[in-house]
Amino acid sequence: MPSAPRPVTNTAADKRWRPVEAAMRRNGYRAGGLIEALHAVQRAYGYIDEAAMRAIGAALQLPLSKIYGVVTFYHFFHLKPKGRHTCVVCLGTACYIKGADRLLQTISREQQVSPGETTADGRLSLLTARCVGACGQAPAVVIDDQVVGQAEESAIHRQLAGLNSAGPGSDEEQP
Amino acid sequence: MNPEELQRIAAEELQAKSAAKHRIGVCTASGCLSCGSREVLKAIEQEAAARPEANLRIEGVGCMGLCSRGPLVMVQSGPVPAENSGAGAETAFLFKELTPADAPALVAYLEQQKSDPPTVAAGSTASSLAAKRCDLSAPFFRRQVKVVLEQFENIDPERIESYLAAGGYRALLDCLHHRRPVEIIDEITRSGLRGRGGGGYPVGLKWSTVAKAGAFVPQAGRSSRQSAGATAADRPDGPRKYVICNADEGDPGAFMDRSVLECAPHRVLEGMAIAAYAVGADFGYLYVRAEYPLAVERLRKAIVQAEKRGLLGRNIGGSAFNFQVEIRLGAGAFVCGEETALLASIEGRRGQPRPRPPYPAEHGLWGCPTLINNVETLANVAAIINRGADWFAALGTEKSKGTKVFALAGKIKNTGLIEVPMGISIHEIVHEMGSGEVGGIKAVQTGGPSGGCIPAEHFHLPVDYESLQAEGSIMGSGGMIIMDEGAAMVDVARFFMEFCVEESCGKCAPCRVGTTQVLLLLEKIGRGEGTAADLGQLEELCHLLQQTSLCGLGQSAANPVLSTLRFFRREYEQLLVDNTGKSNETDGSQSPQQGPQEVKK
Ligand SMILES: Cc1cc2nc3c(=O)[nH]c(=O)nc-3n(C[C@H](O)[C@H](O)[C@H](O)COP(=O)(O)O)c2cc1C
Ligand code: SF4
Ligand code: FES
Ligand code: FES
C-alpha cells in the first residue's frame, strides 16, 4: 500500500465530518478512540468507506490495515452504503422459534433482494440482526429504526410496499 | 448534592405525586414503544389536559413485565408507598394493549371516581377497558420478587428526581459519608451476590481482589496502544483503577440488561459508583451494545443529570470521592461480552480474547486493575447497601442468593420480563407464570448459545447456578426460551452452532475450525445424510471444543449440541442413515428435520 498521502474525502470542508473529528479530539487523538471515530463516521455517512478510513488513519497515526481489520471485525460497521430504507429481520433465538427465517425468506422473495443486499434501485436494504431486544414481541422486524413487534407477513408487506422511494436519507445524496 | 438536599428533592417529588388523585404510568421501554405506547401516552395527556378536575399525574415509566401485551399502563391511587418497602401502591390497576382510542374512556372513568378506589365496573363507559385489565393476582405478577426491577412502574427513566423519589442514590451517599470501602466489600460479600453475567463469580471476592491490587501508574512515553486512555482532558494522571459495566448482552433472546438500562439507568450508575468507591477506582466505562439506541440515549441523559447534581464527577456528594463515567458503544460482536475481548474493544482494537490469568482484576484496561461486572449485578448493589446483606442473603437458595431476572420468550402465553427468587422451579416459571400449556411444551433453553435445553421432564428443577449446570445447561445471563413440540432439536442445535461459527473471533483453531466442522456435521445429519460414525465424530469434536478453546465462547459452544444429545438423542438417531444410504427408521417416514416453524405451522 503506497504510504504517500492520498487525497482523502475533503474532510475539512465536509460538515458531516465534524462529529468524527470531535470524537477523535475527545479521545486525545489516541488509538483508543478508533472505534468511537468509526461509529461517528457511520452515524454521519451511513457507512465507512476507504477515504474515511484513510482520514482516520492519518489523524490517529494508524495504518490502514489495522483500521480495516477493526472495521471488518465488527458486524455493526458497513463498508457499503445502505438503501434509502432498511428492513432488519431479527434472527435471534426467540424470533427464530417464532418463524423469523421464513419471514425473511418471503420478504426476500417479494422485495427481490437477498438478505444483506440492497435493491437495484437503492430503495431498500434487507438486513438481519441477532436480537434487537424485543424478544417479548417476537418475531421482530425493524423498518427504518421503528421496531415492529409480533410481525405478521401481511402487515410487513403492506408497510414495505408503502415506503415510497423517497424516504429518510433521500434529501441527502449518499456520498 | 448532600444527603439533606437529596431528601428534599425526593420529598418534593413524592409530594407532587401524592397530590394527584390518580397516577398514570405508561410504559416507555422499547417493548411497549414498539407497539405504540408513545401515542397512548400523548392521547392520555391530551385527554387529561382537557379535564384538569380529574387531577391526574401522567408519566412515562419503565417496563412492567408483560411486554408481549403492550402498551401497558398502570393506574395507581392512594399514598405513594415508602421506598424500599417492597409494598405496592394502595390500589393499582394494570391495563394491557391500550390504544390512543382508549384514552377518553380511561380518563373519564378515573374522573368519575370520587374518593373510592377505582373498580372497573362492567357496563360503564369503561367496559372495553375492563376487558383490558390485567389480573394482578395472577401468578405472573404475584410470584415475582423485585429487587433489580423494583419500582420500575414508578420511575420515569428520563428524570433523576423520579429515581431520587424512589430512594435512589441514598445508598451511594450513605457509603461515601458513613462507610469505609472494606465495610462495603464485606457487606457485598456477606450478601452472597454472584455475577449475573453468566459466570456466577462471587462479587465480593472480585471486588476485594481489585481493591487489593496496586493501582497501575500509566507511564509517559509508552506505545500509544498501551497507554492510550480515553480521557477527559482534566483527568489526573496518577495511579488508576477502572470499573466497567458489561452491558453488551449478546445472547440472542435475552433482554434483561437492556430493560434495566432503559428503565433505571441511574440504578446502574449508582451501583457503578458504589463499586468504584469500594475498589478505589475513579473512572468507569459502560460498554453498551450499539443495537440498543434507547438505552444509550437514556444513559447519556442520566450521566448528565447525575453530574449536574454532583452525584458523578468530582467530590461526589460533598465527599473527596471522584468518579467519572463514559459510554463506549459495542459494534455487534458477541465475543466482546467476554471480559478480555471487551477490554480490547474499549482500547479500540479487534475484540479478541486473551488467555487468563492475568485476570482483569489485576491487569485490565491499559494494564490497570479493572473491575468488570454485569448490568444486573450492579443493579443489585444499592438495594443490598440499603437493606443489608442479611436481607439479601435470605432470598434465594444456599448457594445462589437473591433474585434473577429472566427474559421469557418463545412458545408461551405470557412472554416478557420477570424477576424471581433463585430456587424457584422451572415448572413454576413456565407453566404457572408463563401460562405455558402443560404437555405442549417440550423444553426450555437457558443460557443462549452457551447453554442447553432442559426437557419438560426435568421442570421440577430449581433455578440456581448449580442445578442448571448439573443438567448441562447454564443460568447464563437470563434468557429463557420456551420450545413446544414443534421444535426440532437437531435444528435448534444447528441454529446455535451457526451463531457460534459467525461469532467465533478466529483467534484459536479449536473454535475457528471446530465450530465449522460441528456445524457441517449437524447440517449433514439434519438433511438425513449422517451416519452413526458422523454422530460419533460430532460428540468427539464437541468435547474437543470444550477442552481446548481459549475463551468461554469456544468452550461452551458445544453445550447446545451436547445437551440436546443428552436429552433428545433419539431425534438425532432417527435422522441417521446406515452405510447403504437407507434411513435407520423402519417405517422410513421420518423426514429430514426442518426449521421449527415449518413443522409447527
Ligand atoms: C462469549 C462470552 C460472552 C459474554 N457475554 C457477556 C455479556 O453479554 N454480558 C455480560 O455481562 N457478561 C458476558 N460474559 C461474561 C463476562 O466475561 C464476565 O464474566 C462478566 O461480565 C462478569 O460480570 P459478573 O461477574 O457481574 O457476571 C460473556 C462471556 C463470554 C465467554
Ligand atoms: S474460543 Fe473462539 S471466540 Fe474464543 S478466542 Fe478462541 S476463536 Fe476466539
Ligand atoms: S430474538 Fe429477536 S428480538 Fe430478541
Ligand atoms: S416493555 Fe412495556 S411492559 Fe415490558
Side-chain angles (χ1 to χ4, degrees):
Chain A
M1 196 134 301
S3 58
R6 284 222 223 142
V8 294
T9 308
N10 190 357
T11 50
D14 188 349
K15 256 205 336 252
R16 286 177 298 172
W17 188 258
R18 279 186 208 154
V20 183
E21 193 66 33
M24 294 191 290
R25 185 166 357 99
R26 206 169 44 243
N27 289 291
Y29 292 99
R30 280 181 271 219
L34 173 58
I35 293 176
E36 290 285 288
L38 293 173
H39 271 297
V41 174
Q42 183 150 309
R43 255 195 307 275
Y45 297 84
Y47 73 111
I48 301 169
D49 66 358
E50 190 185 321
M53 286 190 253
R54 283 186 186 282
I56 290 176
L60 303 185
Q61 295 182 311
L62 288 170
L64 186 61
S65 61
K66 185 180 164 180
I67 299 179
Y68 189 76
V70 169
V71 172
T72 52
F73 181 84
Y74 294 99
H75 304 307
F76 194 76
F77 295 137
H78 301 284
L79 291 162
K80 284 185 293 186
K82 281 193 272 185
R84 287 186 296 279
H85 298 281
T86 53
C87 171
V88 184
V89 179
C90 174
L91 291 184
T93 322
C95 295
Y96 185 73
I97 293 291
K98 295 236 174 142
D101 68 339
R102 203 174 59 175
L103 187 63
L104 177 68
Q105 278 167 22
T106 17
I107 296 176
S108 169
R109 201 175 48 238
E110 301 245 336
Q111 299 291 326
Q112 301 186 341
V113 54
S114 339
E117 300 290 329
T118 302
T119 50
D121 59 2
R123 190 180 71 97
L124 181 75
S125 293
L126 180 58
L127 306 170
T128 59
R130 296 285 186 190
C131 192
V132 294
C135 326
Q137 280 99 323
V141 174
V142 188
I143 298 176
D144 286 339
D145 294 332
Q146 280 289 318
V147 181
V148 184
Q150 278 146 7
E152 280 176 30
E153 258 169 50
S154 52
I156 296 291
H157 288 316
R158 243 179 293 125
Q159 212 170 330
L160 289 180
L163 296 176
N164 55 21
S165 39
S170 61
D171 48 336
E172 240 173 23
E173 263 306 306
Q174 289 287 349
Chain B
M1 162 170 342
N2 57 36
E4 292 73 44
E5 252 175 280
L6 186 148
Q7 287 290 355
R8 185 179 52 73
I9 296 171
E12 274 172 20
E13 176 81 8
L14 280 177
Q15 203 178 9
K17 277 193 181 188
S18 301
K21 194 161 74 164
H22 302 286
R23 302 185 294 282
I24 303 181
V26 180
C27 172
T28 51
S30 50
C32 285
L33 284 178
S34 77
C35 37
S37 70
R38 182 98 59 204
E39 290 69 32
V40 172
L41 177 65
K42 267 196 207 121
I44 296 178
E45 275 172 351
Q46 269 167 13
E47 202 61 38
R51 299 165 183 262
E53 38 327 335
N55 188 13
L56 304 176
R57 182 186 164 98
I58 299 138
E59 44 180 15
V61 296
C63 172
M64 290 173 271
L66 202 55
C67 314
S68 54
R69 295 274 171 270
L72 290 192
V73 174
M74 173 85 92
V75 178
Q76 298 179 84
S77 326
V80 180
E83 74 258 26
N84 299 330
S85 66
E90 204 165 277
T91 52
F93 293 94
L94 185 63
F95 295 95
K96 63 183 177 186
E97 293 168 344
L98 282 197
T99 62
D102 290 317
L106 178 69
V107 172
Y109 165 73
L110 289 174
E111 191 190 352
Q112 282 162 23
Q113 296 297 312
K114 294 286 180 250
S115 54
D116 4 322
T119 47
V120 179
S124 71
T125 44
S127 62
S128 75
L129 276 180
K132 294 186 172 184
R133 210 178 115 187
C134 300
D135 176 8
L136 286 173
S137 66
F140 182 85
F141 299 103
R142 202 165 29 85
R143 289 289 173 91
Q144 299 202 41
V145 175
K146 296 193 175 180
V147 177
V148 173
L149 309 183
E150 193 185 12
Q151 299 244 32
F152 269 25
E153 69 279 14
N154 290 324
I155 298 177
D156 177 348
E158 311 212 346
R159 291 179 59 242
I160 192 171
E161 296 80 10
S162 185
Y163 180 64
L164 292 175
Y169 287 108
R170 265 223 325 241
L172 174 63
L173 294 190
D174 178 33
C175 285
L176 296 180
H177 292 294
H178 306 294
R179 304 192 198 207
R180 286 180 300 139
V182 280
E183 292 167 347
I184 297 167
I185 294 176
D186 180 59
E187 192 82 41
I188 298 294
T189 307
R190 285 193 302 114
S191 76
L193 176 65
R194 292 170 66 175
R196 301 294 193 238
Y201 191 81
V203 176
L205 194 56
K206 201 190 267 184
W207 286 23
S208 74
T209 311
V210 181
K212 282 179 198 145
F216 170 86
V217 188
Q219 286 156 23
R222 289 171 67 106
S223 84
S224 66
R225 209 200 72 176
Q226 279 162 329
S227 66
T231 65
D234 64 346
R235 225 170 78 202
D237 246 338
R240 172 148 311 133
K241 292 181 188 175
Y242 292 96
V243 169
I244 294 175
C245 172
N246 187 345
D248 197 41
E249 192 164 62
D251 170 1
F255 53 94
M256 308 75 47
D257 292 351
R258 167 191 187 131
S259 205
V260 174
L261 296 167
E262 282 178 358
C263 304
H266 285 289
R267 188 166 290 168
V268 180
L269 292 176
E270 185 179 8
M272 284 181 81
I274 294 172
Y277 174 67
V279 304
D282 68 352
F283 204 91
Y285 286 104
L286 268 150
Y287 188 85
V288 195
R289 286 185 81 188
E291 291 88 338
Y292 286 179
L294 183 64
V296 173
E297 182 193 317
R298 290 191 175 158
L299 280 169
R300 280 198 209 288
K301 255 189 208 160
I303 292 174
V304 171
Q305 291 169 352
E307 282 173 348
K308 255 199 198 132
R309 298 275 185 185
L311 293 165
L312 281 180
R314 297 193 153 274
N315 300 109
I316 295 177
S319 73
F321 174 61
N322 304 329
F323 183 56
Q324 193 181 339
V325 178
E326 274 186 21
I327 294 174
R328 278 290 174 276
L329 292 187
F334 173 65
V335 73
C336 286
E338 197 279 338
E339 51 190 27
T340 58
L342 187 154
L343 294 176
S345 184
I346 293 182
E347 290 169 2
R349 295 184 284 127
R350 291 163 69 100
Q352 287 183 314
R354 62 159 172 79
R356 298 172 306 175
Y359 288 91
E362 281 161 341
H363 189 93
L365 201 57
W366 293 296
C368 306
T370 302
L371 174 70
I372 304 178
N373 273 133
N374 163 263
V375 171
E376 192 183 330
T377 311
L378 291 164
N380 272 296
V381 168
I384 294 174
I385 299 296
N386 279 327
R387 290 196 242 174
D390 296 333
W391 160 80
F392 190 83
L395 295 168
T397 68
E398 177 67 33
K399 286 186 175 161
S400 305
K401 303 295 189 192
T403 59
K404 179 77 194 82
V405 182
F406 286 102
L408 289 186
K411 303 272 179 151
I412 46 168
K413 270 221 317 263
N414 301 333
T415 57
L417 206 64
I418 56 166
E419 182 170 4
V420 288
M422 297 266 195
I424 191 173
S425 72
I426 300 173
H427 175 89
E428 284 171 279
I429 294 181
V430 173
H431 293 305
E432 296 177 19
M433 302 180 73
S435 284
E437 214 179 297
V438 181
I441 287 171
K442 183 171 178 182
V444 46
Q445 209 279 345
T446 66
S450 317
C453 294
I454 298 165
E457 305 86 82
H458 294 237
F459 278 10
H460 58 276
L461 275 174
V463 172
D464 61 44
Y465 293 98
E466 279 74 22
S467 307
L468 291 183
Q469 205 153 16
E471 289 297 297
S473 186
I474 57 165
M475 171 98 83
S477 51
M480 215 178 240
I481 310 241
I482 287 86
M483 303 181 182
D484 65 3
E485 291 300 333
M489 288 306 173
V490 178
D491 185 66
V492 169
R494 186 200 56 76
F495 171 79
F496 284 115
M497 193 51 65
E498 196 177 68
F499 178 85
C500 291
V501 167
E502 247 172 70
E503 297 299 331
S504 166
C505 81
K507 179 165 175 166
C508 67
C511 168
R512 183 181 64 237
V513 183
T515 49
T516 305
Q517 291 307 319
V518 170
L519 178 63
L520 289 175
L521 282 172
L522 285 172
E523 285 173 349
K524 186 173 172 193
I525 293 172
R527 284 195 307 270
E529 295 166 9
T531 63
D534 288 327
L535 195 58
Q537 201 191 2
L538 178 72
E539 287 190 275
E540 202 180 313
L541 268 172
C542 283
H543 291 297
L544 198 75
L545 255 177
Q546 271 186 328
Q547 286 152 15
T548 58
S549 295
L550 172 61
C551 86
L553 193 153
Q555 285 160 10
S556 61
N559 287 357
V561 184
L562 289 171
S563 93
T564 47
L565 270 171
R566 177 167 165 187
F567 295 116
F568 303 96
R569 195 177 183 91
R570 215 180 128 65
E571 292 193 24
Y572 284 81
E573 287 170 350
Q574 280 174 338
L575 288 165
L576 297 181
V577 289
D578 60 26
N579 291 333
T580 60
K582 276 203 317 242
S583 167
N584 264 357
E585 282 298 285
T586 39
D587 61 3
S589 65
Q590 182 72 27
S591 60
Q593 283 200 338
Q594 305 287 320
Q597 69 292 342
E598 323 263 340
V599 179
K600 178 68 191 160
K601 290 203 176 142

